[in-house]
């Protein structure tokens, strides 16, 4: 099995109101993320993790990224981590 590329650095994250049914974008070449702040706390967490995974693990499929983000989000959520509104 071929190895996946891994980039270990934090992407720049910007909040921006995005078009309908788009919650976030990962710009892998620039290592930047845009995330829509209008999401509820759990959706926001999931989107942030999802887009970060796209940057950190750029070779993974959308399906794998989605599954990983859901697992990580659910476990963090069970520990009662929440986003505090500004």
């Amino acid at each position: 099995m071929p190895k996946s590329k891994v980039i270990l650095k934090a992407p720049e994250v910007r909040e921006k109101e995005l078009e309908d049914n788009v919650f976030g974008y990962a710009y892998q070449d620039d290592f930047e993320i845009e995330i829509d702040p209008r999401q509820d706390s759990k959706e926001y967490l999931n989107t942030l993790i999802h887009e970060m995974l796209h940057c950190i693990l750029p070779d993974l499929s959308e399906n794998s990224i989605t599954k990983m983000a859901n697992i990580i989000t659910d476990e963090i959520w069970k520990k009662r981590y929440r986003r505090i509104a500004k």
Side-chain angles (χ1 to χ4, degrees):
M1 178 189 291
K3 291 186 177 184
S4 292
K5 181 178 174 181
V6 177
I7 302 170
L8 297 175
K9 68 178 189 177
E12 180 182 332
V13 179
R14 290 186 309 276
E15 291 187 345
K16 178 181 178 182
E17 290 187 10
L18 303 171
E19 59 265 20
D20 289 344
N21 297 318
V22 176
F23 305 110
Y25 284 118
Y27 300 97
Q28 294 170 324
D29 292 340
D30 299 326
F31 228 69
E32 296 176 353
I33 292 171
E34 290 179 344
I35 187 167
D36 196 319
R38 298 174 291 179
Q39 300 171 78
D40 70 27
S41 184
K42 189 172 185 183
E43 289 171 333
Y44 187 98
L45 176 63
N46 187 273
T47 301
L48 181 59
I49 291 168
H50 180 103
E51 301 307 339
M52 289 183 74
L53 288 169
H54 274 304
C55 288
I56 294 168
L57 300 165
D59 296 339
L60 289 186
S61 69
E62 183 67 22
N63 189 44
S64 293
I65 293 287
T66 298
K67 286 179 181 179
M68 289 175 70
N70 290 342
I71 290 167
I72 294 167
T73 298
D74 287 344
E75 290 306 310
I76 291 171
W77 200 254
K78 285 178 192 175
K79 300 296 182 192
R80 307 207 41 83
Y81 282 89
R82 302 295 187 262
R83 179 174 179 232
I84 299 171
K86 292 181 183 179

